Amino acid sequence: MVKTSVARDDNKKNSSDETVVVSMEHVNKWFGQFHVLRDINLRVVKGERIVVCGPSGSGKSTLIRCLNRLEKHQDGDINVHGIELNNDVKNIDEIRREVGMVFQHFNLFPHLSIIENCMLAPIWVRKTPRAEAEEIAMHFLTRVKIPEQALKYPGQLSGGQQQRVAIARALCMQPQLMLFDEPTSALDPEMIKEVLDTMVELAEDGMTMICVTHEMGFARKVADRVIFMDEGQIIEQNEPEAFFNNPQSDRTKLFLSQILGH
Amino acid sequence: MVSNGTRKERATATNNESAFIRQEDAPILPPPITSAGVAGWLNDNIFASMLDFSTLGAAVKSILMAIFTAFVAYIFFDQVYGLLDFAIFSAVWQDPEEQKRQVCWTIEQGGKLPNGWHGACWPYIIAKTKFILYGAYPNESLWRVNSTYLLGAILLVWVMIDRLPYRKLVGAVLLTIYPIFATVMLTGGGFGLSQFSVGVNTIIGLALISLGRAGKMGWITGPFLDLSKMAGVAGWFFIFFAAALVSVGVDFDLSKVDTRDWGGLLITLVVATTAIVVSLPLGILLALGRRSSLPVARTLSIIFIEFWRGVPLITVLFMASVMIPLFMPEGVNFDSLLRALIGVTLWQSAYMAEVIRGGLQAIDKGQYEGADAVGLSYWQSMRLIILPQALTRVLPGIVNTIISVFKDTSLVSIVGLFDLLGATQATIADAAWSTPVQASTGYLVVALIFFVFCFGMSRYSMYIERKLDRGH
Ligand SMILES: Nc1ncnc2c1ncn2[C@@H]1O[C@H](COP(=O)(O)OP(=O)(O)OP(=O)(O)O)[C@@H](O)[C@H]1O
Ligand SMILES: [Mg+2]
C-alpha cells in the first residue's frame, strides 16, 4: 500500500537526551461497570511512531482519547509533553495545544471553508495574527497537497481530501504529538493511499505519532513500535518486524491471522 | 484486420445482450420543448395530468383531474377577485365633503352608493391612520416616533445588506445605543438621575471588569478563571446599565409621553422587537444551560424553561399586570407596558431556548470533539463551532417562533394596552364612521400590516438560509 519505506532514525530512541512525550502509568478507566482500560503503561519518546492495533472494542480509541482528555481516566498518571493531565483546566488546555488529533470521520467544521478550518485554532487558541495564521494554513495545505481547495467547504471535498485537510488542521497548531484514530477506515480504497502517503511524509519529518490503524503495510514501514491491545490491556508490543513475523502471544497470533489471513 | 475485428465485436454485441462496447458517442440534444419555458411549465404542472386517455382508467383520472383543476382555479380566482374588488375596485377612496360615515352608505342606508354595494371604506382608515399607527401619542411629538423608526430602519437595513462596510459596528450600535435612544425618544426621558443607583452600577461594573482583567493577567487560576471571565463580561453589562440610567435620567427637554398614551403599531413593534431581540440571546443561554454539565446551570435553566412554557401567554400577561404590583413596595408604580414587555420576553425566551436546544442536539458529537481537540475553550467552541451550525439548522424554527410572537403581541390588549389590533378595534367602535363595512375595512388593514411584517421576515429568513447553505 505504502510506497516508500521510512528511514528510521534509531538514534532518536537511543539518544541520551530523549524527551518523553507521553507517559502513562498504571492507567485505568471504566465506562460504568465496564473496565475499558486495564493497567496501561506506555512511554513514547520524541520522534517515535507508534501503531496501535487490536480487535474492535479493545479500547484503542479510548486509550488515545485519554491523552487529550476527550475521555477522562479515573486512575493512574498521564503525562503529556511534561504536563500532568489532571482536572486542572489550564493543564488540559495546554496539552490540547500540543496534541493534534485526526478522527475517523474527519470532524471538519462544515460551516467554515477549508482555510478557515485550518486558521481557526491558531487564531483563537494560539492568538496568532490573522495574516500569519493564513500563511501557516496555506503552508500545511500545500504540504498535504490541496492548496487549491483552500476556499472550498468540507462538503465539497472527497473523503480522502477531507482527511488530509483534517491532518493539515491539526498540524497548523504545530503540535508536538499527533494522534490518529483509524484515519483511513471511513475511506474508499482508492483514497486510503493518499492519506497514508501524507502520514508517511509526516513520519519522515520526525513527527511523534500514535496511530490506531489496521493498515499493516503502514505499520511495517513507519512504526517504531506496534502495540497490540485486547480487552483493555496492552498484550504485546514490539518492533514491527518482530511483531509481525514472530508474535509471542496467542491472542496476537489469532488477531494477525484474522487480519492478514485473507 | 481491424475492420474485421470491429465487425466481430458488433456481431457479439447483437448476439450477446450483456456484452456491449460503444462505437459512437450518443448525440447531445436540447431538452424536449415541453419541459422548457412557460408552455413547458404549464404542460408539466397542469395539463400533463389530464391528457392521458390511453386507457379507460387513465381517461377517468384525466377527466377528474380536469374538473378538480377547474374547481380549484375557480375558487382561487373568485377569492382573489373578491378581495381585489372589495379593497380596490368597489372601494370608496375619498370623502371630499367630509360626510364621514355617510360617504360609505348605500341609498338604502341613507347614503348615495348603489344598494348591495360592498367595498372598503378608505376615508375611515385615512381618518384613523394616526390612531392605528400611534394610538393616543400626542400629535406634536409624532416626529420622535418617526425618527426612531427611521433610524431603526436605516440601521437594520444596513446590517442586512451584505456589501455595506462596518456591519458589525452598526449591529452593535443597533443593540446597545439604539435601544437607549429609542427609550429616550419615545418616553421623553428625564426620569431623574439617581446618583446612587448610577454610582452603584458603575462601581459594581468596574469591580467586575477588574476581576475579568485579573483573570486575563493570570492572577486568577483554576476553577475561578472561567468565573472571572464571566465577571468581566457581566461588568460591561453593569456599565451599560449605568449609561442607560444616565441617558434616560438626564432631562433632554422633551415632553414626557406616558406609555398609556402609546398605542397601535407602535406598541406592537415595541413589544415584538424587544421580545425578539432579548429572547434570542436569552434563549441561547438557556439552551446551553440546559445542556450544560454544571448541575446548577442545568437545573435553573430547566426550571425557568418549564415554568414559562407551562403557562399560556394570556396567563403570563394577567400575572404580570396583577401579581407584580403585589410584590412591589407601596407607591412604586410599575409601568404596565414594561410589565407586559417583561412577561412576553421571558415567555418567548423559554420557547426560543427549546428551539435552539433542538439545533444543539442535532450537532454531531464529532464537532464538539473536533473543537475540543484543537484546544478551543467551551465558550469559543460554542460561539465559533456549535452555535453557528445549530442556529443555521433551526433557522426556520427560530423564524417561526419570531413570527408567532409578533402576532401574539395582540394579546397585550387584554391588559389594557392598545396594540395594532386593539387600537383598530377601538376605531371600529367609533360611531362617527359606523358603516356595515367599517369592521371589514379595519380588520383588512390589520391583516395587511401583520402580513407585510411576517411575510417580510419569512422571505428574509429564506434568503439567509440560502446564503448559509454550505452544500452538505
Ligand atoms: N462513551 C462510552 N460509554 C460506554 N461505553 C463505551 C463508550 N465508548 C466506548 N465504550 C466501550 O468501550 C469499549 C472500547 O471502546 P473503543 O472505542 O476504545 O474501542 P476500539 O478499540 O477503538 O474499537 P474500534 O476498533 O471498534 O474503534 C467498547 O466496548 C465500547 O463499547
Ligand atoms: Mg475506535
Side-chain angles (χ1 to χ4, degrees):
Chain A
M1 198 98 264
V2 181
K3 56 174 185 219
T4 50
S5 152
V6 178
R8 288 197 192 84
D9 26 357
D10 296 87
N11 52 351
K12 278 240 168 74
K13 252 168 35 177
N14 307 330
S15 66
S16 51
D17 60 353
E18 67 180 23
T19 353
V20 179
V21 179
V22 174
S23 96
M24 299 177 91
E25 275 165 33
H26 305 293
V27 172
N28 284 285
K29 174 171 177 62
W30 291 262
F31 281 124
Q33 291 297 311
F34 177 57
H35 201 168
V36 257
L37 293 183
R38 293 155 65 186
D39 192 35
I40 301 287
N41 292 286
L42 179 67
R43 253 167 69 96
V44 181
V45 300
K46 196 164 168 51
E48 242 190 323
R49 279 89 56 160
I50 311 285
V51 163
V52 182
C53 61
S56 179
S58 56
K60 308 178 296 291
S61 299
T62 312
L63 173 79
I64 66 166
R65 288 158 60 87
C66 278
L67 293 178
N68 64 352
R69 222 1 120 88
L70 290 186
E71 299 287 358
K72 190 177 162 191
H73 66 286
Q74 284 128 321
D75 190 23
D77 296 321
I78 300 182
N79 257 271
V80 180
H81 194 52
I83 307 158
E84 189 185 345
L85 188 55
N86 51 21
N87 285 332
D88 192 339
V89 184
K90 222 174 119 205
N91 285 7
I92 297 175
D93 284 346
E94 216 166 310
I95 288 175
R96 283 179 179 168
R97 277 201 287 273
E98 303 304 333
V99 177
M101 187 160 198
V102 177
F103 301 86
Q104 181 174 3
H105 296 288
F106 331 133
N107 297 357
L108 293 176
F109 307 130
H111 62 302
L112 299 177
S113 65
I114 298 307
I115 187 148
E116 285 167 338
N117 264 278
C118 296
M119 289 162 59
L120 188 84
I123 288 178
W124 291 97
V125 181
R126 285 225 190 273
K127 314 279 180 215
T128 315
R130 234 193 134 70
E132 199 182 317
E134 202 171 326
E135 225 169 88
I136 299 174
M138 280 320 287
H139 170 76
F140 285 108
L141 285 175
T142 313
R143 225 174 106 177
V144 300
K145 305 200 177 63
I146 32 176
E148 72 284 357
Q149 311 283 2
L151 297 179
K152 289 197 183 162
Y153 285 89
Q156 299 165 316
L157 266 54
S158 76
Q161 290 174 322
Q162 290 193 49
Q163 193 60 294
R164 284 185 284 151
V165 173
I167 294 174
R169 178 179 74 178
L171 290 176
C172 282
M173 284 292 283
Q174 295 169 323
Q176 302 292 325
L177 168 69
M178 285 285 285
L179 306 174
F180 293 83
D181 190 359
E182 306 203 27
T184 54
S185 56
L187 298 177
D188 291 338
E190 74 269 22
M191 295 173 189
I192 291 178
K193 187 177 176 304
E194 63 187 55
V195 171
L196 287 180
D197 285 348
T198 311
M199 291 170 63
V200 169
E201 274 168 36
L202 201 57
E204 281 169 343
D205 290 347
M207 175 63 78
T208 317
M209 298 162 62
I210 303 181
C211 314
V212 174
T213 181
H214 290 143
E215 294 297 331
M216 290 307 149
F218 174 80
R220 272 177 195 277
K221 276 171 189 132
V222 172
D224 295 307
R225 236 188 314 160
V226 181
I227 291 180
F228 173 70
M229 284 186 74
D230 195 12
E231 296 180 339
Q233 314 167 76
I234 295 182
I235 303 291
E236 187 166 346
Q237 50 175 308
N238 211 336
E239 298 191 342
E241 285 313 312
F243 179 85
F244 289 112
N245 300 339
N246 189 16
Q248 301 297 314
S249 136
D250 289 342
R251 291 200 243 190
T252 316
K253 285 178 195 156
L254 180 67
F255 175 74
L256 286 177
S257 73
Q258 276 166 352
I259 62 163
L260 301 173
H262 48 248
Chain B
M1 272 306 276
V2 175
S3 65
N4 231 349
T6 321
R7 210 173 298 143
K8 228 183 212 165
E9 272 164 25
R10 282 215 181 111
T12 1
T14 44
N15 291 341
N16 183 354
E17 285 287 316
S18 62
F20 167 75
I21 297 161
R22 179 171 291 289
Q23 303 297 328
E24 288 159 36
D25 283 346
I28 298 167
L29 300 170
I33 298 135
T34 48
S35 64
V38 177
W41 186 90
L42 283 175
N43 184 61
D44 283 358
N45 291 289
I46 298 181
F47 297 117
S49 58
M50 18 176 147
L51 292 177
D52 184 4
F53 292 94
S54 51
T55 64
L56 186 62
V60 170
K61 197 169 147 243
S62 294
I63 290 168
L64 285 178
M65 206 61 200
I67 294 173
F68 180 69
T69 306
F71 177 71
V72 170
Y74 171 74
I75 299 276
F76 179 74
F77 288 112
D78 187 51
Q79 290 299 310
V80 170
Y81 178 75
L83 184 65
L84 290 179
D85 183 48
F86 178 83
I88 297 171
F89 307 139
S90 298
V92 173
W93 291 91
Q94 279 171 332
D95 182 18
E97 293 152 50
E98 309 241 336
Q99 296 174 298
K100 294 206 165 176
R101 59 187 179 181
Q102 271 147 337
V103 77
C104 297
W105 278 359
T106 59
I107 294 166
E108 247 172 18
Q109 292 154 349
K112 291 179 193 140
L113 295 165
N115 285 334
W117 170 85
H118 188 68
C121 186
W122 293 119
Y124 147 67
I125 295 297
I126 293 166
K128 296 294 182 189
T129 300
K130 189 253 151 186
F131 194 78
I132 291 175
L133 296 185
Y134 307 95
Y137 207 92
N139 274 325
E140 67 276 8
S141 299
L142 284 186
W143 65 271
R144 279 156 48 184
V145 181
N146 291 335
S147 42
T148 309
Y149 282 167
L150 186 67
L151 182 64
I154 291 175
L155 294 179
L156 193 63
V157 169
W158 192 317
V159 171
M160 284 175 11
I161 297 180
D162 294 333
R163 271 166 300 175
L164 292 180
Y166 305 118
R167 284 174 62 221
K168 281 195 178 143
L169 184 70
V170 173
V173 169
L174 191 61
L175 292 177
T176 53
I177 299 172
Y178 180 73
I180 300 177
F181 170 82
T183 313
V184 173
M185 283 299 258
L186 296 179
T187 60
F191 293 114
L193 264 178
S194 153
Q195 279 165 355
F196 176 72
S197 52
V198 172
V200 166
N201 274 295
T202 316
I203 290 171
I204 296 179
L206 288 177
L208 290 176
I209 291 174
S210 333
L211 211 61
R213 277 288 146 80
K216 261 194 194 145
M217 306 289 275
W219 298 338
I220 298 176
T221 48
F224 297 108
L225 186 64
D226 262 0
L227 277 181
S228 83
K229 275 184 197 157
M230 268 181 242
V233 176
W236 285 108
F237 275 102
F238 276 95
I239 296 291
F240 173 72
F241 192 62
L245 279 181
V246 173
S247 314
V248 298
V250 172
D251 199 337
F252 290 100
D253 215 20
L254 295 168
S255 62
K256 316 281 169 288
V257 181
D258 197 292
T259 53
R260 268 169 295 197
D261 291 337
W262 299 18
L265 183 63
L266 174 61
I267 289 257
T268 300
L269 289 180
V270 167
V271 177
T273 38
T274 312
I276 291 166
V277 170
V278 179
S279 71
L280 202 60
L282 209 54
I284 290 176
L285 287 182
L286 285 166
L288 291 177
R290 193 166 184 167
R291 288 172 56 83
S292 159
S293 54
L294 304 174
V296 181
R298 194 172 53 235
T299 314
L300 287 179
S301 307
I302 292 178
I303 291 175
F304 182 98
I305 292 171
E306 294 306 331
F307 173 78
W308 287 102
R309 248 185 0 151
V311 187
L313 183 55
I314 295 194
T315 317
V316 171
L317 290 169
F318 273 130
M319 283 197 311
S321 66
V322 179
M323 304 218 348
I324 293 182
L326 294 183
F327 298 121
M328 284 287 156
E330 194 76 32
V332 173
N333 188 8
F334 211 54
D335 189 276
S336 67
L337 175 63
L338 192 55
R339 285 190 304 227
L341 266 182
I342 295 174
V344 176
T345 305
L346 295 183
W347 182 81
Q348 169 72 0
S349 305
Y351 273 89
M352 201 57 102
E354 285 301 277
V355 173
I356 293 168
R357 189 167 68 99
L360 291 174
Q361 248 153 5
I363 302 297
D364 181 50
K365 204 167 127 259
Q367 292 293 309
Y368 291 88
E369 293 181 350
D372 281 348
V374 293
L376 295 177
S377 73
Y378 173 80
W379 289 108
Q380 284 174 338
S381 63
M382 288 305 135
R383 189 160 56 88
L384 301 167
I385 308 298
I386 307 300
L387 281 172
Q389 295 184 58
L391 295 180
T392 312
R393 270 178 206 229
V394 291
L395 197 64
I398 290 175
V399 174
N400 198 25
T401 18
I402 286 178
I403 287 179
S404 111
V405 79
F406 189 87
K407 294 185 287 189
D408 285 345
T409 52
S410 315
L411 290 174
V412 298
S413 59
I414 61 163
V415 291
L417 298 169
F418 285 97
D419 76 309
L420 177 58
L421 181 64
T424 310
Q425 266 173 329
T427 69
I428 290 173
D430 183 0
W433 285 97
S434 167
T435 69
V437 293
Q438 186 187 16
S440 322
T441 311
Y443 289 129
L444 179 65
V445 169
V446 174
L448 266 179
I449 295 178
F450 270 117
F451 181 79
V452 166
F453 278 97
C454 296
F455 187 65
M457 287 189 267
S458 165
R459 296 305 300 193
Y460 184 66
S461 88
M462 284 161 82
Y463 161 74
I464 293 285
E465 266 173 60
R466 269 199 309 277
K467 199 180 90 174
L468 294 179
D469 187 22
R470 293 283 183 260
H472 52 77

